[in-house]
Amino acid sequence: MPASPSGAAAGPGEGPFRVGLLGHGTVGAAFATLLAERADEIERFNGRRPVLGGVLTRSRGDFEEILADADLIVEVMGGIDPARDYLMRAIRAGKDIVSANKQLLSQYGEELFEAAREKGVRLRFEAAVAGVVPVVRVLEESLSATPIERIHGIVNGTTNYVLTEMSKGLSYADALAEAQRIGYAEADPSDDVSGRDAAAKMAILARLAFGSPVHLNDVRYEGIEQLQSDDLEYARELGLGLKLVGTAERIDGGVSVHVLPTLLYGGHPLASVSGPFNAVTVESQTITEITMSGPGAGGRQTASAVLGDVVSVMTGGARPPAPPLELPLITDVRSAFYVHLEMEDRPGVLAAVTKILGDNDVSIRSVVQRGIGEGSRLVMVTHRVLESSLRKALAEVARLESVRARPRTIRVIEEEFV
Ligand SMILES: NC(=O)c1ccc[n+]([C@@H]2O[C@H](COP(=O)([O-])OP(=O)(O)OC[C@H]3O[C@@H](n4cnc5c(N)ncnc54)[C@H](OP(=O)(O)O)[C@@H]3O)[C@@H](O)[C@H]2O)c1
């Protein structure tokens, strides 16, 4: 049964399934096209035909009319306001929601989840995390009975592309300019290169994996702007490749979430993820490790994840969000590190450095020494150490007379999968 002349939506389970679309940009326009292309097939297997109801942009459509007409609201506007207000109003009106908005979910997710739970409304957001890589669904459904210990993710395609180009010898500035030229980076890439975009996605993943609310502000993040080309060269000599990796892990009854430039050994599942791709590795003793990878962005790709969520709601596969489980946030975590020291090569310097490191429980896994005299470099990889112990040791090292610059560090993921 089509919508009544008054504009009211058909009742549950009757007639076309009307989708109200907030936003008609890169993703919204691709979604509208894909919906029309796939409507026959979706109707064939689930009995109802999805159709586009109203569309809202800055210059077109009326939110109240779209809401009244819709069975479900798709939000692909982005930003916090007015998306937050529209979604809260839609939830209060009892409409199911599909959103691709990572910034909104990582800052106001709990408010939306609580409202959705109260109203028994489904809220799906596969496209908010790693584009078309179905990690949200896998965490919520396939792995819902698995105690997850850790998630590592390359969840920002722009930075992964830039780092891939830098590993071929391009400078950061040239690699970023190339990414902008071919459309992998926006004119203002600051959310991507600062790590903030990846931090928002990791906050959402941590909530899914551990049940604990994690706000974007709880995620420590560093981007790729400060990386130096020679760090990549030394890392290569040590058998390591550089990625921007988000980590969400359970530690000592708490949760730690961070996004950092990270060095990986060649056998790690994320080491081979190059170009604008995304990948997420989920670790648990029960399943050992699984990795999912695929395109992290793009209008049609993202629209496909959004439409998958719509179909999931239509077929009753989704349920309202689970209540939160409050876990403490842990910020001082154990990791291996790459350490780059620029120093004067004088007798006794190496011994002084290794003594300070040893006194602070920092043990060395491998070392590369280059150059002589004033500009010599000592580059090493430590074994796992509490980050606060390493920082304390390096503060002491920096005070040595022969050390010429502030020590540089990059996190290293030690695991070597074979
Ligand atoms: N692009 C991707 O590859 C990708 C991938 C994953 C997730 N996402 C997420 O998907 C969402 C949409 O991204 P996009 O790239 O499609 O953005 P976009 O191209 O900038 O499109 C945004 C759309 O929302 C509309 N809009 C924005 N503010 C509005 C307001 N205040 N009132 C009414 N309409 C408003 C815009 O209207 P006008 O047309 O009038 O300007 C435009 O149609 C974002 O949350 C983004 O993070 C995007």
Side-chain angles (χ1 to χ4, degrees):
M1 189 175 74
S4 72
S6 68
E14 305 164 30
F17 185 85
R18 298 183 69 79
V19 177
L21 182 60
L22 310 184
H24 198 261
T26 307
V27 179
F31 173 80
T33 304
L34 196 62
L35 181 69
E37 285 171 14
R38 301 295 298 159
D40 284 350
E41 179 60 14
I42 296 170
E43 184 179 16
R44 189 185 65 75
F45 68 73
N46 115 90
R48 281 184 89 184
R49 183 178 188 79
V51 295
L52 198 58
V55 176
L56 186 76
T57 68
R58 288 189 183 89
S59 57
R60 154 185 181 200
D62 175 88
F63 176 70
E64 286 302 337
E65 278 176 22
I66 293 167
L67 185 63
D69 179 58
D71 290 302
L72 173 147
I73 292 290
V74 166
E75 185 271 307
V76 282
M77 290 169 50
I80 303 295
D81 292 314
R84 176 185 173 198
D85 176 51
Y86 287 156
L87 290 194
M88 286 302 283
R89 282 157 68 186
I91 291 170
R92 285 191 205 108
K95 308 289 171 155
D96 293 313
I97 306 283
V98 173
S99 172
N101 193 333
K102 61 225 152 196
Q103 293 299 346
L104 181 62
L105 287 160
S106 64
Q107 295 178 65
Y108 297 96
E110 255 0 92
E111 170 186 299
L112 293 165
F113 293 162
E114 196 184 327
R117 213 165 30 248
E118 269 173 24
K119 287 301 252 179
V121 155
R122 276 86 51 97
L123 173 53
R124 308 294 290 169
F125 45 89
E126 187 69 73
V129 175
V132 79
V133 184
V135 57
V136 172
R137 191 83 42 88
V138 167
L139 287 173
E140 277 191 331
E141 294 176 16
S142 318
L143 299 181
S144 58
T146 304
I148 292 163
E149 278 140 42
R150 187 176 300 111
I151 295 177
H152 290 308
I154 294 176
V155 289
N156 182 275
T158 306
T159 45
N160 203 51
Y161 176 81
V162 170
L163 292 176
T164 304
E165 293 306 295
M166 285 175 76
S167 72
K168 296 176 193 161
L170 257 62
S171 68
Y172 168 72
D174 288 347
L176 181 59
E178 177 66 5
Q180 284 169 322
R181 195 184 62 75
I182 51 181
Y184 289 152
E186 295 184 18
D188 175 6
S190 37
D191 256 20
D192 293 323
V193 297
S194 68
R196 185 176 166 83
D197 174 87
K201 293 165 178 171
M202 292 311 299
I204 297 169
L205 283 182
R207 168 67 163 93
L208 283 170
F210 308 123
S212 185
V214 176
H215 191 279
L216 174 59
N217 293 345
D218 297 328
V219 183
R220 178 180 150 214
Y221 61 89
E222 277 173 31
I224 62 168
E225 308 112 304
Q226 76 295 349
L227 293 169
Q228 318 252 349
S229 306
D230 61 342
D231 285 327
L232 269 81
E233 283 161 32
Y234 285 114
R236 215 176 5 249
E237 270 191 60
L238 292 159
L240 295 160
L242 186 61
K243 305 284 176 195
L244 185 68
V245 177
T247 299
E249 55 189 337
R250 285 208 68 153
I251 308 173
D252 304 331
V255 172
S256 165
V257 192
H258 43 268
V259 173
L260 297 169
T262 301
L263 292 162
L264 301 166
Y265 286 95
H268 193 281
L270 297 184
S272 57
V273 178
S274 56
F277 278 76
N278 279 197
V280 176
T281 295
V282 183
E283 295 176 26
S284 160
Q285 281 192 352
T286 316
I287 57 163
T288 61
E289 174 272 321
I290 58 168
T291 300
M292 294 157 270
S293 68
R300 196 165 166 86
Q301 292 85 341
T302 308
S304 145
V306 172
L307 185 55
D309 275 350
V310 172
V311 172
S312 162
V313 170
M314 290 177 76
T315 52
R319 54 180 192 271
L325 178 73
E326 300 284 347
L327 296 172
L329 271 169
I330 312 283
T331 49
D332 194 14
V333 296
R334 296 184 85 78
S335 175
F337 285 91
Y338 158 101
V339 178
H340 183 141
L341 297 177
E342 200 177 318
M343 57 192 209
E344 204 177 319
D345 184 23
R346 282 203 308 221
V349 176
L350 188 55
V353 169
T354 46
K355 174 159 189 338
I356 292 171
L357 295 179
D359 289 348
N360 287 282
D361 295 328
V362 182
S363 68
I364 306 300
R365 173 179 170 147
S366 48
V367 184
V368 174
Q369 192 170 7
R370 283 286 175 279
I372 45 164
E374 288 274 318
S376 98
R377 300 275 195 280
L378 185 65
V379 175
M380 49 201 153
V381 175
T382 72
H383 285 294
R384 276 160 68 85
V385 55
L386 211 51
E387 185 169 358
S388 56
S389 303
L390 180 77
R391 299 272 166 242
K392 182 167 167 290
L394 292 181
E396 281 180 50
V397 167
R399 286 197 289 273
L400 291 173
E401 205 190 312
S402 39
V403 172
R404 291 276 168 250
R406 208 164 61 85
R408 281 148 46 184
T409 59
I410 301 175
R411 175 182 59 155
V412 176
I413 293 181
E414 256 197 330
E415 293 103 311
E416 291 184 67
F417 295 86
V418 281

